Amino acid sequence: MAARMIVKLEHRGPDATQITSLKGAPVIMAHSRLSIIGPQDGAQPIIQGTDMLIANGEIYNHADLRAILGKDIFQTASDSETILHLFRSRAARWVDRLDGMFAFVLATPDRIVAARDPLGIKPLYVARIGEGLAFASELKAFDGLGLQTIETVPPGTLYDSRDGWRQWYRMPQGAARAEPGLDVEATARELRLVIEAAVAKWMVADVEVGSFLSGGLDSSIIAAIAQRQLKQAGRAPLKTFSVGTAGSPDLIAAKAVAAHIGSDHDEYVFTSDDLVENLPHVIYHLESADIDLVRSAIPTLFAARLARRQVKAVLTGEGADELFAGYTYHHAYVDDPRALADELTRSLGTMHNINLQRVDRISMAESLEARTPFLDRDLIAFAQSTPAELKLRRTDPDRIESTGPTTEKWLLRKACADLLPESLVWRKKAQFDEGSGTVAALQDALQTLTGNTGVIDRVQEGAFYEKTLRDRFVDPDLILANAGRWVADRVAA
């Protein structure tokens, strides 16, 4: 069964696939590896004595943990091996010491332990098969096995067959209003330092790391900081990647940003014919028929495919909207910072099943690791302690520091204003699928795919996506029951 499951996940790690049983225990582990850290000797499963581990993702503080745990006990250069030794240290809250994006399953002769990173950047599902459990990174691994239910291992949660479920990480509640005398300028400067530290941490790799560059604020900030850090280190320019239809705002803006920061820039112009060819592929790998997720997954696919020709990992701007109030609907909260803070906290907790699912599935479909520095634990803690009224503000449209009567991500813009052209820092935001030209091209593609010459409305679009998903899976109801989708439980302003 392990062989049958892992073959459906080989796109996640084309460098090596290995299936191993644990001596003296009814445990089989299978792993497909994308080698990023310790590429020479980091094959998985990793075995130490009678313990065995498979892991997905990156542990960014692995060097510090090696020094603390003792270098002599390590057999590989893999960051994942630190998970095993932390567990074997028997520290009470050992999993909390892992800093990064990860999902792992660890087995001993009499125990199974599985856990997921705080935000659920890396996926993990569990299903009961007879008297046993099966874990996998994607739903498709379970397809056709005749299962009744699959569960998502929640973000920041650990399962222990001995002690049960435990939520080891809790999202800090967002602050609403500024305390009297808060120095806004100093807060902005400190935010900048925290972002820079996050980018430096999330750039750690034994291979070259590039960056998606949509031309929007978030990815541009990440790329600009990464490029500065590479230049200071005397390394080659950052490779940046953008996609869009011919003449789309994203391509134009991304090219201008790349020229400004001095990155090594590449772009891909896609057409409606590309969408016709790739929509079934997107939906299969996305494991969702949600209209908005599919729309945003399309440019993500082309960006991932473009980047994978040159690098194995990229930085992305995911998380900035949830941390700093960047969505259009957030403007309704401008006079209610308490409700805004609560809504941002809620949306951070649901990212794993929406945007983070899109980023993970589509990038890994192309064997590319996507990294999200804005979702660094230290940055989340700082941003959540920052008053929501500094993130979304009423502003004078005639002043430089505004994007209109209300300005979203105000503090983030202020903290990073010197990195980018003024026209971009205070430019009105466009969604990735809109700025890239996806929505317009999608109409033509859907007409071709459905044979309908009229305008394809959202109901028809959604029905086509669901049919496409059903055609690709043996047990589509099981996939749809666990599929990522936008939920309407927003905190009321």
Side-chain angles (χ1 to χ4, degrees):
M1 183 175 290
R4 184 176 172 184
M5 294 175 72
I6 198 64
V7 74
K8 297 179 182 178
L9 301 183
E10 287 182 338
H11 53 274
R12 296 185 69 89
D15 295 333
T17 296
Q18 191 165 317
I19 303 174
T20 307
S21 58
L22 182 61
K23 188 176 181 180
V27 174
I28 298 176
M29 290 188 177
H31 187 268
S32 289
R33 186 176 188 229
L34 181 65
S35 51
I36 304 290
I37 293 178
Q40 302 304 319
D41 62 358
Q44 297 190 37
I46 298 173
I47 300 174
Q48 287 269 328
T50 58
D51 302 337
M52 184 162 68
L53 168 82
I54 52 174
N56 175 30
E58 303 292 342
I59 309 300
Y60 294 118
N61 63 335
H62 73 98
D64 292 339
L65 292 174
R66 280 174 181 269
I68 293 168
L69 293 165
K71 295 180 180 179
D72 293 343
I73 63 175
F74 284 81
Q75 296 179 354
T76 76
S78 170
D79 58 303
S80 296
E81 191 180 344
T82 57
I83 300 170
L84 197 54
H85 293 298
L86 273 177
F87 168 76
R88 290 162 68 91
S89 74
R90 300 183 184 278
R93 300 197 70 238
W94 60 275
V95 70
D96 186 61
R97 298 174 69 180
L98 297 171
D99 187 1
M101 56 178 194
F102 56 84
F104 67 82
V105 180
L106 191 157
T108 74
D110 59 359
R111 191 175 175 190
I112 297 290
V113 177
R116 196 173 177 195
D117 66 66
L119 271 290
I121 299 170
K122 285 298 166 186
L124 189 60
Y125 297 94
V126 60
R128 186 165 292 281
I129 300 180
E131 296 300 314
L133 296 175
F135 295 87
S137 294
E138 297 185 15
L139 293 166
K140 58 180 63 67
F142 299 105
D143 188 41
L145 299 183
L147 304 178
Q148 297 301 311
T149 58
I150 303 170
E151 294 181 63
T152 301
V153 175
T157 299
L158 180 144
Y159 168 77
D160 189 328
S161 60
R162 186 187 69 185
D163 302 325
W165 292 91
R166 175 176 135 225
Q167 186 178 351
W168 64 270
Y169 175 85
R170 294 184 181 276
M171 180 65 61
Q173 185 64 39
R177 294 191 180 277
E179 64 270 21
L182 177 70
D183 187 333
V184 176
E185 297 290 336
T187 302
R189 290 195 299 270
E190 192 65 23
L191 172 59
R192 170 68 168 273
L193 292 175
V194 177
I195 295 173
E196 289 175 347
V199 172
K201 184 194 301 182
W202 289 62
M203 285 281 282
V204 171
D206 292 332
V207 297
E208 187 174 11
V209 178
S211 185
F212 285 166
L213 183 58
S214 70
L217 180 70
D218 309 335
S219 65
S220 297
I221 286 173
I222 296 297
I225 292 174
Q227 167 62 6
R228 279 194 176 190
Q229 292 176 350
L230 288 173
K231 187 175 182 179
Q232 289 169 358
R235 294 168 61 185
L238 178 74
K239 287 185 169 66
T240 53
F241 308 95
S242 66
V243 299
T245 56
S248 61
D250 277 3
L251 285 181
I252 295 170
K255 188 174 291 186
V257 171
H260 183 82
I261 67 175
S263 65
D264 179 1
H265 191 60
D266 199 1
E267 65 178 34
Y268 177 73
V269 178
F270 63 83
T271 66
S272 60
D273 289 340
D274 290 321
L275 271 60
V276 170
E277 181 180 348
N278 287 282
L279 257 177
H281 176 81
V282 166
I283 293 168
Y284 172 73
H285 281 285
L286 182 62
E287 300 182 334
S288 175
D290 181 87
I291 294 173
D292 294 310
L293 280 183
V294 173
R295 286 182 173 187
S296 58
I298 291 166
T300 304
L301 172 71
F302 296 129
R305 191 170 288 171
L306 176 66
R308 189 59 179 89
R309 297 172 187 167
Q310 301 184 51
V311 298
K312 280 189 171 183
V314 291
L315 305 176
T316 83
E318 297 298 327
D321 288 323
E322 287 79 5
L323 284 174
F324 298 103
Y327 290 120
T328 301
Y329 82 92
H330 286 150
H331 288 268
Y333 295 80
V334 67
D335 295 320
D336 193 346
R338 178 70 269 160
L340 176 60
D342 292 344
E343 170 59 15
L344 297 179
T345 303
R346 180 205 68 82
S347 61
L348 282 165
T350 64
M351 285 192 74
H352 70 282
N353 205 34
I354 310 172
N355 278 337
L356 289 178
Q357 177 169 326
R358 167 183 57 81
V359 172
D360 172 82
R361 296 300 192 284
I362 301 304
S363 63
M364 294 304 286
E366 300 300 314
S367 305
L368 179 77
E369 181 178 271
R371 298 180 170 192
T372 55
F374 276 118
L375 297 179
D376 179 78
R377 281 177 69 178
D378 292 336
L379 179 48
I380 289 171
F382 186 86
Q384 285 290 88
S385 72
T386 301
E389 66 179 358
L390 297 183
K391 300 174 181 179
L392 178 69
R393 305 191 78 176
R394 288 199 177 277
T395 49
D396 182 349
D398 295 328
R399 293 181 63 87
I400 292 175
E401 292 185 351
S402 74
T403 61
T406 58
T407 298
E408 74 283 0
K409 292 189 283 199
W410 183 85
L411 187 68
L412 177 63
R413 295 174 193 273
K414 188 172 182 64
C416 300
D418 63 303
L419 289 171
L420 301 162
E422 183 180 290
S423 59
L424 170 64
V425 174
W426 303 105
R427 167 198 179 204
K428 291 195 175 182
K429 179 183 183 294
Q431 285 184 251
F432 191 26
D433 55 358
E434 295 172 355
S436 63
T438 301
V439 173
L442 192 54
Q443 268 295 318
D444 293 338
L446 287 171
Q447 288 174 349
T448 299
L449 288 164
T450 63
N452 188 338
T453 57
V455 174
I456 308 295
D457 61 27
R458 282 181 68 90
V459 173
Q460 294 170 309
E461 184 179 350
F464 174 77
Y465 294 160
E466 182 172 337
K467 180 183 183 302
T468 301
L469 185 147
R470 288 185 176 278
D471 289 344
R472 295 298 302 269
F473 290 97
V474 176
D475 298 319
D477 288 332
L478 202 60
I479 304 299
L480 287 166
N482 290 275
R485 60 177 61 86
W486 292 94
V487 290
D489 58 351
R490 295 171 178 169
V491 175

